[in-house]
Structures are given as C-alpha cells and as structure tokens.
C-alpha cells in the first residue's frame, strides 16, 4: 500500500514554490556503514566543494531560500539550519560527514552532493499518512535527551512533518524523531527530497533518480518507485 503524503494549504501559502519528490522503497537491506557507503559520502563532499567553489553553504541560492523560509515561520536559520545546510557544513569541516548506516549514508550523500534536503523514514513505523502542516503547538514530538526519552512540543506556527501518532520531523527538515528513523532493521523506506525556487523541479528529479539507483545498488531486487513531483 502506497504511503500518502500531503501538504497543507497553510504550508502551500507560506511556500508557494515548494516541491517535493518522494522515493518509496520496499525490500531494502540495511546494515552498518561500509567502505562503499563511506566512499559515497567522501565523493559527495568533493562534489559539494566543487559546487560551492570556495563559498559557504548558506551563500548558495537554494540554502538562502531555505533560510528565508525558516525565518518566515519563526525559526532562526543560523541556529536551526535546514538539513542540507547542516550536512554541508559538516562535510566541509575537518571532522567530515558522520557514518550512520547504509541507507542513511546513501541519502545523506545525495543531499550533500545536490545540496537538497533529503529525509528518510521507516514506513513500518509511520502511523497513517504523513502530512506537512503548521503546528498548533500541542503536538507531541518524542525525542531523546541525555539518553532519556522526552516529549517536546513544536512552536505554534512551526512547519512540521507528522503522522497520526505525532510529529516525525520538526522545523520542516531540521530534526527527525527517533521513532521513524531508518535503522539497520529497516526494510521499507520513504525518502523525501525537498526544494524551493530557484532550484528547478528537474534538479529534484535528477537527485531522486540517482538516489533510486543507489538504493537498487545496495539492495538488489528492492521495489523502488520514484513518485512524480508534488508542488
């Protein structure tokens, strides 16, 4: 059964040029980070450096657009960076990109190489469909702090991804909750590539196609569907 993804009218009004492309995959094989997935991350960092040509990630027009949007819904983009900018900053640092697991490494590599926010969720842990909405402030966001599970609440008006159980990602694509993360036991995933003008829709489609190819490479025989862009 195909996972439903919806964008609320309030979010569309806030970001009329927002587009997302979803890649849905079943029959995945995940595992610890490997030499191959680590190589993808290193290559992505090199591609990013060429793309920026000495500039900072936040100077890229796409990242600048995300910063403006974060400000528009009340978040401070210098403190809560969108996921692509945060990864890009780490990619250019001495520490480099983190190695998480095969699937996360793959989608992080696509995010960095294309400078597009990309998220991955375990479909088997999503309750109902996923919705991009402006929060009321009463929703639950279950996370971990100091090794203990804690429940936070988004700010009123904050843009969040959520399902029937609560918020799955805060501040659009800033912080993912642990409930739906892709773990080494995950076999089904939904991957979201999110873009704003001036990035053309074709750029998101190209990145999604590359992601689908990599998922097939790491999980031969997986059933992978690239959905049409949703504006």
């Amino acid at each position: 059964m195909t996972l439903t993804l919806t964008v609320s009218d309030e979010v569309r009004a806030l970001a009329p040029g927002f587009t997302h492309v979803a890649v849905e995959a079943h029959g995945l094989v995940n595992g610890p980070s490997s030499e191959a997935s680590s190589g993808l991350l290193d290559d992505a960092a090199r591609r990013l450096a060429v793309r920026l040509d000495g500039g900072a990630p936040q100077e890229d027009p796409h990242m600048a657009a995300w910063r403006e949007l974060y400000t528009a819904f009340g978040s401070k983009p210098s403190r809560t960076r969108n996921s692509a900018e945060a990864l890009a900053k780490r990619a250019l640092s001495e520490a480099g990109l983190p190695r998480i697991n095969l699937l996360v490494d793959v989608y992080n590599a696509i995010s960095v190489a294309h400078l597009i926010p990309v998220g991955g969720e375990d479909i088997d842990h999503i309750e109902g469909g996923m919705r991009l909405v402006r929060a009321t402030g009463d929703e639950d966001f279950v996370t971990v702090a100091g090794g203990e599970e804690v429940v936070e609440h988004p700010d009123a008006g904050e843009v969040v991804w959520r399902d029937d159980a609560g918020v799955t990602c805060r501040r659009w694509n800033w912080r993912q909750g642990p409930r739906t993360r892709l773990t080494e036991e995950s076999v089904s995933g939904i991957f979201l590539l999110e873009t704003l003008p001036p990035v053309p829709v074709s750029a998101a489609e190209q990145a999604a196609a590359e992601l689908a190819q990599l998922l097939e490479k790491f999980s031969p025989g997986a059933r992978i569907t690239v959905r049409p862009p949703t504006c």
Side-chain angles (χ1 to χ4, degrees):
M1 183 176 179
T2 299
L3 180 73
T4 59
L5 299 165
T6 58
V7 179
S8 72
D9 290 342
E10 285 186 319
V11 172
R12 293 186 188 281
L14 179 69
F18 170 69
T19 300
H20 75 265
V21 178
V23 179
E24 185 169 341
H26 300 272
L28 295 169
V29 178
N30 202 6
S33 298
S34 66
E35 184 176 345
S37 70
S38 184
L40 283 178
L41 292 168
D42 289 339
D43 181 63
R46 287 190 289 269
R47 290 167 67 180
L48 173 68
V50 170
R51 178 191 184 102
L52 294 176
D53 191 24
Q58 65 267 25
E59 296 170 354
D60 178 87
H62 193 206
M63 298 299 93
W66 276 105
R67 281 186 163 230
E68 289 181 9
L69 185 54
Y70 268 49
T71 300
F73 67 80
S75 292
K76 295 182 178 179
S78 295
R79 292 175 55 190
T80 55
R81 296 178 175 89
N82 76 80
S83 64
E85 184 183 329
L87 278 175
K89 186 176 176 65
R90 294 193 68 172
L92 298 173
S93 71
E94 186 175 337
L97 289 164
R99 275 58 173 166
I100 308 298
N101 59 54
L102 287 177
L103 292 177
V104 176
D105 290 353
V106 166
Y107 80 72
N108 278 350
I110 293 296
S111 178
V112 169
H114 293 267
L115 210 51
I116 290 174
V118 183
E121 308 279 355
D122 188 324
I123 290 176
D124 293 330
H125 293 278
I126 295 171
E127 298 189 22
M130 289 182 60
R131 310 184 293 282
L132 187 65
V133 302
R134 300 199 72 171
T136 63
D138 297 326
E139 299 89 347
D140 287 345
F141 177 70
V142 181
T143 187
V144 176
E148 299 290 333
E149 185 176 282
V150 296
V151 178
E152 297 178 353
H153 303 285
D155 299 326
E158 181 182 323
V159 177
V160 298
W161 279 102
R162 66 158 304 162
D163 64 2
D164 290 350
V167 173
T168 57
C169 193
R170 286 197 59 187
R171 292 178 186 157
W172 211 307
N173 48 39
W174 166 64
R175 179 190 289 173
Q176 183 185 30
R179 173 170 60 89
T180 58
R181 283 178 185 162
L182 291 164
T183 69
E184 293 181 22
E185 289 71 45
S186 298
V187 295
S188 295
I190 188 79
F191 303 86
L192 297 175
L193 298 86
E194 302 179 308
T195 60
L196 297 169
V199 172
V201 174
S202 60
E205 293 177 307
Q206 180 183 354
E210 185 178 341
L211 173 58
Q213 290 173 353
L214 287 174
L215 291 173
E216 172 62 30
K217 175 183 176 180
F218 282 88
S219 297
R223 303 183 304 282
I224 300 168
T225 302
V226 180
R227 300 193 195 177
T230 301
C231 302

